[in-house]
Amino acid sequence: MVDIGASWMSDLKHGICPPAFWFNREQCCYPAKQSVFEEGNCSTWKTWPEIFGLSRNGTGPYIISYIWYVLWALLFASLSASLVRMFAPYACGSGIPEIKTILSGFIIRGYLGKWTLLIKSVGLMLSVSAGLTLGKEGPMVHIASCIGNIFSHVFPKYGRNEAKKREILSAAAAAGVSVAFGAPIGGVLFSLEEVSYYFPLKTLWRSFFCALIAAFVLRSLTPFGNEHSVLFFVEYNKPWIFFELIPFVFLGIMGGVIGTFFIKANLWWCRYRKFSKLGQYPVMEVLFVTLVTGIICYPNPFTRMNMNELIFLLVSKCSPGDVTNPLCDYKRMNITMGNSVIEVTEPGPGIYSSIWLLMLTFILKLALTIFTFGMKVPAGLFIPSLLLGAIMGRIVGIGVEQFAYSYPNIWFFTGECADSNLITPGLYAVVGAAAVLGGVTRMTVSLVVIMFELTGGVRYIVPLMAAAMASKWVGDALGRQGIYDAHIALNGYPFLDSKEEFAHTTLAADVMQPKRNETLNVITQDSMTVDDVENLLKETEHNGYPVVVSRENQYLVGFVLRRDLNLAIGNAKRLIEGISSSSIVIFTSTTPTQNLGPQPLKLKKILDMAPITVTDQTPMETVVDMFRKLGLRQTLVTHNGRLLGVITKKDVLRHVKQMDNEDPNTVLFN
């Protein structure tokens, strides 16, 4: 629905199909099979000037088309931003940083709810069709996770168990990428490498099954309107020359540089938005960026078209009869070398003008993506990154092709260029797209698999691997974090990165709460009244409380959750006769003998008798590892069985920040 709705509304900015207004331009012109650049040979599709009785070409019609294009874009963007603001504030952005945080064991209430799902789906269609430089692939992961979360509540086994629910969310993330790109295996690897925190083998094959079903349903519905279920199918299958690894690695290095520049610039802008007055006017910001995008993008044919169409144009090869695509303006000549005839191609004027337009497109799209990503509309980052890389790759590919054309007799081309031209500029566009996406997100394995599933080019795994690896190395050398980790840090989400090492020599005693001179809030096993427990709950805000033998003798008995205590006391007062404020709360199976007062309240059932504990001399490296791998909320610190303190996930996060000389207050501990 999102695909069909977005393509119809995107074409609505250019014109309408009077015989059936619900058709987009491709469906309307289906018998004529027109290209993106051909306006002339499709009589059924009417542009806006034609609806008003003017001709299709000329100055007046151009101005009318321009105005309608900008007005539709403003309408779609204002609707998207208003829906997000009024009904589901969590529906903005791509959602992947938050899903990473949720999968690491932190709960963001309402982030995966029904309203978020509905508004994200509708808002995504609107913001894509407004022509903003954003993709719909990242938000698809969020949408799939919302569906996974809503479905898990149907089955109590999953709805009540956070660990089981996180398994469903991992599988849902895989399905989201599977339908967004038509790349099921890439989706599973994306969930494993980028989104999931803890990914056991059981979850791996469940995600695999989930992505398989998603791809199967997508294939049977064919929203792309062709026989391929992938986004950009390429049909070149020429082998690549060994020498070409040099430009491929160069593209990888450039991808790392561009990715790091984008991350730093986007973070700077998001930080400015967060701490300045601009953050108070989200809808106005969206409208302003849409207006600027519409005005700048309309005059250039490359920026005016849909980003998916442009990427398809950049990665496709030129067939001899292709006259409509300006990137294929070659003069074709046959020359005889020895006893064989070679077809060589010399670039025509269309190629040179296209290169200038593409360079301009690259600068505009890079700048617009920096300002767009992070606005209060649903916005993904995959398609803009792929587009920037494809532009860079196509230009480099044309350059290498012309180098081979000018110097066919250099030693590394000898014997390679005998059977027609071997340099395929479209392949460079695919490799460049992978390089920039790798530079922005720091993916490696899943990126290569997604790219060859996306294009169907299995022969080109080695070039893609070389570019992805180079872009990751260069990106990591220039800046540590990918865009998602950077946004997690910017928003202050409590996320312990499982990929980073904790290399300090501190002990659990240095981190635990309370510090030396503070008191530890505990519950005794058989000497506190209901009133004492209720006062403790009022005065403190802890998630749970350790239960000890007595105040003097602080040997650990177990751990009880705040929520369970509140429920148990409330139910007991309502349902059990004889329970009053002075009743003693007991966490043991035996009742004290000298009980002369009101009936005691037995709460042994809600006591966790086996809480995770460490000793005060445990190295923090081990404690951090336990928090990461077991997804703990807190651990109790003991010495010879006596309770000393508690370490919560937030204490660990604060400590990690302090040891890295960063401000611990940047993490939101709400």
Side-chain angles (χ1 to χ4, degrees), residues 520-523 533 535-548 556 558-563 565-566 587 607 634 636 643 646:
L520 174 62
N521 294 307
V522 292
I523 295 176
V533 174
N535 284 337
L536 180 68
L537 287 169
K538 270 184 209 148
E539 288 160 16
T540 59
E541 292 182 346
H542 305 311
N543 228 348
Y545 302 89
V547 177
V548 294
L556 181 66
F559 189 81
V560 63
L561 288 174
R562 176 193 196 86
R563 189 183 63 207
L565 266 179
N566 272 326
F587 288 96
L607 181 67
Q634 70 279 315
L636 306 177
L643 181 70
V646 182

PDB file of all heavy atoms in Angstrom, residues 520-523 533 535-548 556 558-563 565-566 587 607 634 636 643 646:
ATOM      1  N   LEU A 520      21.236   2.379  52.159  1.00  0.00           N
ATOM      2  CA  LEU A 520      20.677   1.529  51.108  1.00  0.00           C
ATOM      3  C   LEU A 520      19.218   1.227  51.456  1.00  0.00           C
ATOM      4  O   LEU A 520      18.920   0.827  52.580  1.00  0.00           O
ATOM      5  CB  LEU A 520      21.498   0.232  51.040  1.00  0.00           C
ATOM      6  CG  LEU A 520      21.007  -0.864  50.103  1.00  0.00           C
ATOM      7  CD1 LEU A 520      21.021  -0.382  48.660  1.00  0.00           C
ATOM      8  CD2 LEU A 520      21.887  -2.100  50.230  1.00  0.00           C
ATOM      9  N   ASN A 521      18.322   1.470  50.518  1.00  0.00           N
ATOM     10  CA  ASN A 521      16.902   1.193  50.760  1.00  0.00           C
ATOM     11  C   ASN A 521      16.637  -0.296  50.599  1.00  0.00           C
ATOM     12  O   ASN A 521      16.742  -0.825  49.489  1.00  0.00           O
ATOM     13  CB  ASN A 521      16.031   1.975  49.769  1.00  0.00           C
ATOM     14  CG  ASN A 521      16.137   3.462  50.007  1.00  0.00           C
ATOM     15  OD1 ASN A 521      15.932   3.932  51.118  1.00  0.00           O
ATOM     16  ND2 ASN A 521      16.478   4.204  48.964  1.00  0.00           N
ATOM     17  N   VAL A 522      16.298  -0.963  51.704  1.00  0.00           N
ATOM     18  CA  VAL A 522      16.034  -2.408  51.639  1.00  0.00           C
ATOM     19  C   VAL A 522      14.716  -2.715  52.347  1.00  0.00           C
ATOM     20  O   VAL A 522      14.179  -1.882  53.070  1.00  0.00           O
ATOM     21  CB  VAL A 522      17.161  -3.230  52.321  1.00  0.00           C
ATOM     22  CG1 VAL A 522      18.447  -3.144  51.532  1.00  0.00           C
ATOM     23  CG2 VAL A 522      17.357  -2.809  53.767  1.00  0.00           C
ATOM     24  N   ILE A 523      14.208  -3.925  52.120  1.00  0.00           N
ATOM     25  CA  ILE A 523      13.029  -4.418  52.839  1.00  0.00           C
ATOM     26  C   ILE A 523      13.503  -5.615  53.661  1.00  0.00           C
ATOM     27  O   ILE A 523      14.234  -6.471  53.142  1.00  0.00           O
ATOM     28  CB  ILE A 523      11.934  -4.838  51.843  1.00  0.00           C
ATOM     29  CG1 ILE A 523      11.432  -3.612  51.065  1.00  0.00           C
ATOM     30  CG2 ILE A 523      10.782  -5.527  52.553  1.00  0.00           C
ATOM     31  CD1 ILE A 523      10.414  -3.920  49.994  1.00  0.00           C
ATOM     32  N   VAL A 533       6.381  -0.296  54.377  1.00  0.00           N
ATOM     33  CA  VAL A 533       6.656  -0.613  52.962  1.00  0.00           C
ATOM     34  C   VAL A 533       6.052   0.466  52.056  1.00  0.00           C
ATOM     35  O   VAL A 533       6.683   0.924  51.107  1.00  0.00           O
ATOM     36  CB  VAL A 533       6.103  -2.018  52.598  1.00  0.00           C
ATOM     37  CG1 VAL A 533       6.249  -2.284  51.100  1.00  0.00           C
ATOM     38  CG2 VAL A 533       6.831  -3.095  53.385  1.00  0.00           C
ATOM     39  N   ASN A 535       5.417   3.602  52.815  1.00  0.00           N
ATOM     40  CA  ASN A 535       6.234   4.828  52.942  1.00  0.00           C
ATOM     41  C   ASN A 535       7.506   4.731  52.112  1.00  0.00           C
ATOM     42  O   ASN A 535       7.914   5.694  51.460  1.00  0.00           O
ATOM     43  CB  ASN A 535       6.597   5.091  54.410  1.00  0.00           C
ATOM     44  CG  ASN A 535       5.406   5.649  55.172  1.00  0.00           C
ATOM     45  OD1 ASN A 535       4.498   6.219  54.566  1.00  0.00           O
ATOM     46  ND2 ASN A 535       5.379   5.474  56.490  1.00  0.00           N
ATOM     47  N   LEU A 536       8.132   3.556  52.142  1.00  0.00           N
ATOM     48  CA  LEU A 536       9.350   3.344  51.343  1.00  0.00           C
ATOM     49  C   LEU A 536       9.048   3.528  49.851  1.00  0.00           C
ATOM     50  O   LEU A 536       9.812   4.162  49.111  1.00  0.00           O
ATOM     51  CB  LEU A 536       9.904   1.935  51.608  1.00  0.00           C
ATOM     52  CG  LEU A 536      11.184   1.552  50.855  1.00  0.00           C
ATOM     53  CD1 LEU A 536      12.367   2.382  51.348  1.00  0.00           C
ATOM     54  CD2 LEU A 536      11.499   0.075  51.016  1.00  0.00           C
ATOM     55  N   LEU A 537       7.905   2.994  49.420  1.00  0.00           N
ATOM     56  CA  LEU A 537       7.512   3.122  48.006  1.00  0.00           C
ATOM     57  C   LEU A 537       7.247   4.576  47.640  1.00  0.00           C
ATOM     58  O   LEU A 537       7.542   5.010  46.527  1.00  0.00           O
ATOM     59  CB  LEU A 537       6.251   2.283  47.727  1.00  0.00           C
ATOM     60  CG  LEU A 537       6.436   0.759  47.681  1.00  0.00           C
ATOM     61  CD1 LEU A 537       5.086   0.051  47.677  1.00  0.00           C
ATOM     62  CD2 LEU A 537       7.232   0.342  46.461  1.00  0.00           C
ATOM     63  N   LYS A 538       6.677   5.357  48.580  1.00  0.00           N
ATOM     64  CA  LYS A 538       6.397   6.780  48.315  1.00  0.00           C
ATOM     65  C   LYS A 538       7.678   7.592  48.245  1.00  0.00           C
ATOM     66  O   LYS A 538       7.837   8.472  47.396  1.00  0.00           O
ATOM     67  CB  LYS A 538       5.494   7.342  49.425  1.00  0.00           C
ATOM     68  CG  LYS A 538       4.018   7.202  49.129  1.00  0.00           C
ATOM     69  CD  LYS A 538       3.192   7.859  50.228  1.00  0.00           C
ATOM     70  CE  LYS A 538       1.836   7.171  50.358  1.00  0.00           C
ATOM     71  NZ  LYS A 538       1.326   7.174  51.717  1.00  0.00           N
ATOM     72  N   GLU A 539       8.585   7.311  49.176  1.00  0.00           N
ATOM     73  CA  GLU A 539       9.792   8.146  49.291  1.00  0.00           C
ATOM     74  C   GLU A 539      10.830   7.852  48.212  1.00  0.00           C
ATOM     75  O   GLU A 539      11.653   8.707  47.890  1.00  0.00           O
ATOM     76  CB  GLU A 539      10.440   7.939  50.675  1.00  0.00           C
ATOM     77  CG  GLU A 539       9.642   8.578  51.811  1.00  0.00           C
ATOM     78  CD  GLU A 539      10.001   7.984  53.163  1.00  0.00           C
ATOM     79  OE1 GLU A 539      11.049   7.320  53.248  1.00  0.00           O
ATOM     80  OE2 GLU A 539       9.227   8.183  54.118  1.00  0.00           O
ATOM     81  N   THR A 540      10.842   6.647  47.665  1.00  0.00           N
ATOM     82  CA  THR A 540      11.863   6.292  46.666  1.00  0.00           C
ATOM     83  C   THR A 540      11.195   5.960  45.342  1.00  0.00           C
ATOM     84  O   THR A 540       9.995   5.694  45.297  1.00  0.00           O
ATOM     85  CB  THR A 540      12.670   5.066  47.132  1.00  0.00           C
ATOM     86  OG1 THR A 540      11.759   3.990  47.331  1.00  0.00           O
ATOM     87  CG2 THR A 540      13.428   5.336  48.411  1.00  0.00           C
ATOM     88  N   GLU A 541      12.003   5.962  44.284  1.00  0.00           N
ATOM     89  CA  GLU A 541      11.439   5.683  42.956  1.00  0.00           C
ATOM     90  C   GLU A 541      12.099   4.473  42.310  1.00  0.00           C
ATOM     91  O   GLU A 541      12.074   4.319  41.097  1.00  0.00           O
ATOM     92  CB  GLU A 541      11.635   6.913  42.052  1.00  0.00           C
ATOM     93  CG  GLU A 541      10.795   8.087  42.493  1.00  0.00           C
ATOM     94  CD  GLU A 541      10.949   9.283  41.577  1.00  0.00           C
ATOM     95  OE1 GLU A 541      11.908   9.284  40.771  1.00  0.00           O
ATOM     96  OE2 GLU A 541      10.126  10.194  41.666  1.00  0.00           O
ATOM     97  N   HIS A 542      12.734   3.627  43.127  1.00  0.00           N
ATOM     98  CA  HIS A 542      13.454   2.490  42.548  1.00  0.00           C
ATOM     99  C   HIS A 542      12.486   1.505  41.904  1.00  0.00           C
ATOM    100  O   HIS A 542      11.338   1.396  42.300  1.00  0.00           O
ATOM    101  CB  HIS A 542      14.276   1.767  43.619  1.00  0.00           C
ATOM    102  CG  HIS A 542      15.218   2.669  44.346  1.00  0.00           C
ATOM    103  ND1 HIS A 542      16.064   3.516  43.678  1.00  0.00           N
ATOM    104  CD2 HIS A 542      15.444   2.875  45.670  1.00  0.00           C
ATOM    105  CE1 HIS A 542      16.783   4.198  44.565  1.00  0.00           C
ATOM    106  NE2 HIS A 542      16.405   3.837  45.779  1.00  0.00           N
ATOM    107  N   ASN A 543      13.037   0.748  40.939  1.00  0.00           N
ATOM    108  CA  ASN A 543      12.248  -0.238  40.201  1.00  0.00           C
ATOM    109  C   ASN A 543      11.977  -1.485  41.037  1.00  0.00           C
ATOM    110  O   ASN A 543      11.054  -2.238  40.775  1.00  0.00           O
ATOM    111  CB  ASN A 543      13.040  -0.643  38.951  1.00  0.00           C
ATOM    112  CG  ASN A 543      12.162  -0.596  37.731  1.00  0.00           C
ATOM    113  OD1 ASN A 543      10.952  -0.477  37.841  1.00  0.00           O
ATOM    114  ND2 ASN A 543      12.774  -0.703  36.579  1.00  0.00           N
ATOM    115  N   GLY A 544      12.860  -1.740  42.026  1.00  0.00           N
ATOM    116  CA  GLY A 544      12.715  -2.927  42.866  1.00  0.00           C
ATOM    117  C   GLY A 544      13.567  -2.766  44.118  1.00  0.00           C
ATOM    118  O   GLY A 544      14.358  -1.820  44.224  1.00  0.00           O
ATOM    119  N   TYR A 545      13.412  -3.676  45.082  1.00  0.00           N
ATOM    120  CA  TYR A 545      14.116  -3.543  46.366  1.00  0.00           C
ATOM    121  C   TYR A 545      14.705  -4.889  46.775  1.00  0.00           C
ATOM    122  O   TYR A 545      14.023  -5.921  46.672  1.00  0.00           O
ATOM    123  CB  TYR A 545      13.142  -3.064  47.455  1.00  0.00           C
ATOM    124  CG  TYR A 545      12.506  -1.749  47.107  1.00  0.00           C
ATOM    125  CD1 TYR A 545      11.320  -1.705  46.374  1.00  0.00           C
ATOM    126  CD2 TYR A 545      13.107  -0.547  47.480  1.00  0.00           C
ATOM    127  CE1 TYR A 545      10.748  -0.498  46.018  1.00  0.00           C
ATOM    128  CE2 TYR A 545      12.537   0.664  47.130  1.00  0.00           C
ATOM    129  CZ  TYR A 545      11.366   0.689  46.396  1.00  0.00           C
ATOM    130  OH  TYR A 545      10.819   1.885  46.034  1.00  0.00           O
ATOM    131  N   PRO A 546      15.964  -4.897  47.276  1.00  0.00           N
ATOM    132  CA  PRO A 546      16.521  -6.134  47.821  1.00  0.00           C
ATOM    133  C   PRO A 546      15.826  -6.455  49.149  1.00  0.00           C
ATOM    134  O   PRO A 546      15.450  -5.552  49.900  1.00  0.00           O
ATOM    135  CB  PRO A 546      18.000  -5.792  48.064  1.00  0.00           C
ATOM    136  CG  PRO A 546      18.228  -4.453  47.438  1.00  0.00           C
ATOM    137  CD  PRO A 546      16.911  -3.769  47.331  1.00  0.00           C
ATOM    138  N   VAL A 547      15.638  -7.745  49.409  1.00  0.00           N
ATOM    139  CA  VAL A 547      15.060  -8.184  50.688  1.00  0.00           C
ATOM    140  C   VAL A 547      16.196  -8.830  51.490  1.00  0.00           C
ATOM    141  O   VAL A 547      16.906  -9.706  50.985  1.00  0.00           O
ATOM    142  CB  VAL A 547      13.920  -9.198  50.454  1.00  0.00           C
ATOM    143  CG1 VAL A 547      13.370  -9.705  51.786  1.00  0.00           C
ATOM    144  CG2 VAL A 547      12.809  -8.551  49.635  1.00  0.00           C
ATOM    145  N   VAL A 548      16.392  -8.346  52.758  1.00  0.00           N
ATOM    146  CA  VAL A 548      17.484  -8.867  53.597  1.00  0.00           C
ATOM    147  C   VAL A 548      16.897  -9.477  54.877  1.00  0.00           C
ATOM    148  O   VAL A 548      15.719  -9.292  55.185  1.00  0.00           O
ATOM    149  CB  VAL A 548      18.491  -7.745  53.958  1.00  0.00           C
ATOM    150  CG1 VAL A 548      19.219  -7.253  52.719  1.00  0.00           C
ATOM    151  CG2 VAL A 548      17.795  -6.590  54.669  1.00  0.00           C
ATOM    152  N   LEU A 556      21.537 -11.323  52.198  1.00  0.00           N
ATOM    153  CA  LEU A 556      20.573 -11.191  51.098  1.00  0.00           C
ATOM    154  C   LEU A 556      19.619 -12.390  51.050  1.00  0.00           C
ATOM    155  O   LEU A 556      20.040 -13.536  51.124  1.00  0.00           O
ATOM    156  CB  LEU A 556      21.338 -11.084  49.776  1.00  0.00           C
ATOM    157  CG  LEU A 556      20.491 -10.918  48.519  1.00  0.00           C
ATOM    158  CD1 LEU A 556      19.757  -9.584  48.544  1.00  0.00           C
ATOM    159  CD2 LEU A 556      21.345 -10.991  47.274  1.00  0.00           C
ATOM    160  N   GLY A 558      16.548 -12.047  48.740  1.00  0.00           N
ATOM    161  CA  GLY A 558      16.044 -12.036  47.358  1.00  0.00           C
ATOM    162  C   GLY A 558      15.783 -10.615  46.899  1.00  0.00           C
ATOM    163  O   GLY A 558      16.271  -9.647  47.490  1.00  0.00           O
ATOM    164  N   PHE A 559      14.974 -10.497  45.845  1.00  0.00           N
ATOM    165  CA  PHE A 559      14.709  -9.185  45.248  1.00  0.00           C
ATOM    166  C   PHE A 559      13.232  -9.122  44.883  1.00  0.00           C
ATOM    167  O   PHE A 559      12.658 -10.108  44.406  1.00  0.00           O
ATOM    168  CB  PHE A 559      15.579  -9.025  43.989  1.00  0.00           C
ATOM    169  CG  PHE A 559      15.565  -7.641  43.407  1.00  0.00           C
ATOM    170  CD1 PHE A 559      16.368  -6.639  43.942  1.00  0.00           C
ATOM    171  CD2 PHE A 559      14.758  -7.333  42.319  1.00  0.00           C
ATOM    172  CE1 PHE A 559      16.368  -5.354  43.405  1.00  0.00           C
ATOM    173  CE2 PHE A 559      14.745  -6.051  41.778  1.00  0.00           C
ATOM    174  CZ  PHE A 559      15.557  -5.069  42.322  1.00  0.00           C
ATOM    175  N   VAL A 560      12.599  -7.984  45.155  1.00  0.00           N
ATOM    176  CA  VAL A 560      11.170  -7.859  44.841  1.00  0.00           C
ATOM    177  C   VAL A 560      10.953  -6.604  43.996  1.00  0.00           C
ATOM    178  O   VAL A 560      11.559  -5.562  44.242  1.00  0.00           O
ATOM    179  CB  VAL A 560      10.319  -7.837  46.142  1.00  0.00           C
ATOM    180  CG1 VAL A 560      10.649  -6.628  46.998  1.00  0.00           C
ATOM    181  CG2 VAL A 560       8.831  -7.875  45.832  1.00  0.00           C
ATOM    182  N   LEU A 561      10.098  -6.714  42.973  1.00  0.00           N
ATOM    183  CA  LEU A 561       9.853  -5.588  42.061  1.00  0.00           C
ATOM    184  C   LEU A 561       8.826  -4.629  42.648  1.00  0.00           C
ATOM    185  O   LEU A 561       7.872  -5.050  43.306  1.00  0.00           O
ATOM    186  CB  LEU A 561       9.346  -6.090  40.706  1.00  0.00           C
ATOM    187  CG  LEU A 561      10.364  -6.796  39.818  1.00  0.00           C
ATOM    188  CD1 LEU A 561       9.672  -7.364  38.588  1.00  0.00           C
ATOM    189  CD2 LEU A 561      11.457  -5.824  39.372  1.00  0.00           C
ATOM    190  N   ARG A 562       9.017  -3.343  42.387  1.00  0.00           N
ATOM    191  CA  ARG A 562       8.104  -2.299  42.875  1.00  0.00           C
ATOM    192  C   ARG A 562       6.671  -2.553  42.400  1.00  0.00           C
ATOM    193  O   ARG A 562       5.722  -2.470  43.167  1.00  0.00           O
ATOM    194  CB  ARG A 562       8.616  -0.960  42.333  1.00  0.00           C
ATOM    195  CG  ARG A 562       7.728   0.210  42.679  1.00  0.00           C
ATOM    196  CD  ARG A 562       8.106   1.446  41.861  1.00  0.00           C
ATOM    197  NE  ARG A 562       7.518   2.612  42.462  1.00  0.00           N
ATOM    198  CZ  ARG A 562       8.070   3.316  43.435  1.00  0.00           C
ATOM    199  NH1 ARG A 562       9.241   2.959  43.916  1.00  0.00           N
ATOM    200  NH2 ARG A 562       7.464   4.366  43.952  1.00  0.00           N
ATOM    201  N   ARG A 563       6.541  -2.910  41.113  1.00  0.00           N
ATOM    202  CA  ARG A 563       5.209  -3.111  40.539  1.00  0.00           C
ATOM    203  C   ARG A 563       4.477  -4.235  41.267  1.00  0.00           C
ATOM    204  O   ARG A 563       3.295  -4.118  41.600  1.00  0.00           O
ATOM    205  CB  ARG A 563       5.374  -3.449  39.049  1.00  0.00           C
ATOM    206  CG  ARG A 563       4.094  -3.474  38.255  1.00  0.00           C
ATOM    207  CD  ARG A 563       4.355  -3.881  36.822  1.00  0.00           C
ATOM    208  NE  ARG A 563       4.896  -5.244  36.772  1.00  0.00           N
ATOM    209  CZ  ARG A 563       5.685  -5.705  35.802  1.00  0.00           C
ATOM    210  NH1 ARG A 563       6.048  -4.922  34.829  1.00  0.00           N
ATOM    211  NH2 ARG A 563       6.125  -6.950  35.819  1.00  0.00           N
ATOM    212  N   LEU A 565       5.018  -5.334  44.329  1.00  0.00           N
ATOM    213  CA  LEU A 565       4.692  -4.915  45.704  1.00  0.00           C
ATOM    214  C   LEU A 565       3.408  -4.099  45.725  1.00  0.00           C
ATOM    215  O   LEU A 565       2.511  -4.343  46.536  1.00  0.00           O
ATOM    216  CB  LEU A 565       5.833  -4.055  46.268  1.00  0.00           C
ATOM    217  CG  LEU A 565       6.904  -4.754  47.090  1.00  0.00           C
ATOM    218  CD1 LEU A 565       7.948  -3.744  47.520  1.00  0.00           C
ATOM    219  CD2 LEU A 565       6.304  -5.425  48.312  1.00  0.00           C
ATOM    220  N   ASN A 566       3.329  -3.106  44.825  1.00  0.00           N
ATOM    221  CA  ASN A 566       2.138  -2.244  44.769  1.00  0.00           C
ATOM    222  C   ASN A 566       0.877  -3.075  44.542  1.00  0.00           C
ATOM    223  O   ASN A 566      -0.137  -2.892  45.218  1.00  0.00           O
ATOM    224  CB  ASN A 566       2.284  -1.217  43.634  1.00  0.00           C
ATOM    225  CG  ASN A 566       3.007   0.039  44.107  1.00  0.00           C
ATOM    226  OD1 ASN A 566       2.860   0.441  45.258  1.00  0.00           O
ATOM    227  ND2 ASN A 566       3.791   0.645  43.241  1.00  0.00           N
ATOM    228  N   PHE A 587       8.265 -12.270  54.095  1.00  0.00           N
ATOM    229  CA  PHE A 587       8.767 -12.881  52.860  1.00  0.00           C
ATOM    230  C   PHE A 587       9.322 -14.289  53.110  1.00  0.00           C
ATOM    231  O   PHE A 587      10.122 -14.786  52.331  1.00  0.00           O
ATOM    232  CB  PHE A 587       9.868 -12.002  52.248  1.00  0.00           C
ATOM    233  CG  PHE A 587       9.343 -10.738  51.647  1.00  0.00           C
ATOM    234  CD1 PHE A 587       9.348  -9.553  52.362  1.00  0.00           C
ATOM    235  CD2 PHE A 587       8.826 -10.724  50.362  1.00  0.00           C
ATOM    236  CE1 PHE A 587       8.858  -8.385  51.803  1.00  0.00           C
ATOM    237  CE2 PHE A 587       8.334  -9.562  49.792  1.00  0.00           C
ATOM    238  CZ  PHE A 587       8.345  -8.384  50.513  1.00  0.00           C
ATOM    239  N   LEU A 607       8.563 -12.892  45.607  1.00  0.00           N
ATOM    240  CA  LEU A 607       9.987 -12.675  45.859  1.00  0.00           C
ATOM    241  C   LEU A 607      10.831 -13.471  44.854  1.00  0.00           C
ATOM    242  O   LEU A 607      10.604 -14.661  44.658  1.00  0.00           O
ATOM    243  CB  LEU A 607      10.319 -13.128  47.290  1.00  0.00           C
ATOM    244  CG  LEU A 607      11.766 -12.959  47.734  1.00  0.00           C
ATOM    245  CD1 LEU A 607      12.124 -11.493  47.837  1.00  0.00           C
ATOM    246  CD2 LEU A 607      12.009 -13.642  49.071  1.00  0.00           C
ATOM    247  N   GLN A 634      19.335  -4.625  36.623  1.00  0.00           N
ATOM    248  CA  GLN A 634      20.166  -4.322  37.797  1.00  0.00           C
ATOM    249  C   GLN A 634      20.838  -5.606  38.275  1.00  0.00           C
ATOM    250  O   GLN A 634      20.408  -6.712  37.933  1.00  0.00           O
ATOM    251  CB  GLN A 634      19.341  -3.728  38.947  1.00  0.00           C
ATOM    252  CG  GLN A 634      18.393  -4.678  39.637  1.00  0.00           C
ATOM    253  CD  GLN A 634      17.090  -4.863  38.899  1.00  0.00           C
ATOM    254  OE1 GLN A 634      16.514  -3.899  38.456  1.00  0.00           O
ATOM    255  NE2 GLN A 634      16.638  -6.094  38.778  1.00  0.00           N
ATOM    256  N   LEU A 636      22.826  -7.121  42.072  1.00  0.00           N
ATOM    257  CA  LEU A 636      23.082  -6.803  43.481  1.00  0.00           C
ATOM    258  C   LEU A 636      24.550  -7.100  43.797  1.00  0.00           C
ATOM    259  O   LEU A 636      25.119  -8.070  43.289  1.00  0.00           O
ATOM    260  CB  LEU A 636      22.178  -7.639  44.383  1.00  0.00           C
ATOM    261  CG  LEU A 636      20.673  -7.529  44.065  1.00  0.00           C
ATOM    262  CD1 LEU A 636      19.861  -8.440  44.961  1.00  0.00           C
ATOM    263  CD2 LEU A 636      20.201  -6.089  44.225  1.00  0.00           C
ATOM    264  N   LEU A 643      24.669  -7.970  51.782  1.00  0.00           N
ATOM    265  CA  LEU A 643      24.345  -7.018  50.718  1.00  0.00           C
ATOM    266  C   LEU A 643      25.080  -5.695  50.937  1.00  0.00           C
ATOM    267  O   LEU A 643      25.036  -5.127  52.029  1.00  0.00           O
ATOM    268  CB  LEU A 643      22.828  -6.770  50.708  1.00  0.00           C
ATOM    269  CG  LEU A 643      22.337  -5.809  49.639  1.00  0.00           C
ATOM    270  CD1 LEU A 643      22.461  -6.435  48.259  1.00  0.00           C
ATOM    271  CD2 LEU A 643      20.891  -5.421  49.891  1.00  0.00           C
ATOM    272  N   VAL A 646      23.610  -1.880  44.991  1.00  0.00           N
ATOM    273  CA  VAL A 646      22.956  -2.275  43.729  1.00  0.00           C
ATOM    274  C   VAL A 646      23.660  -1.554  42.586  1.00  0.00           C
ATOM    275  O   VAL A 646      24.055  -0.393  42.737  1.00  0.00           O
ATOM    276  CB  VAL A 646      21.461  -1.854  43.747  1.00  0.00           C
ATOM    277  CG1 VAL A 646      20.763  -2.292  42.475  1.00  0.00           C
ATOM    278  CG2 VAL A 646      20.748  -2.425  44.957  1.00  0.00           C
TER     279      VAL A 646
END
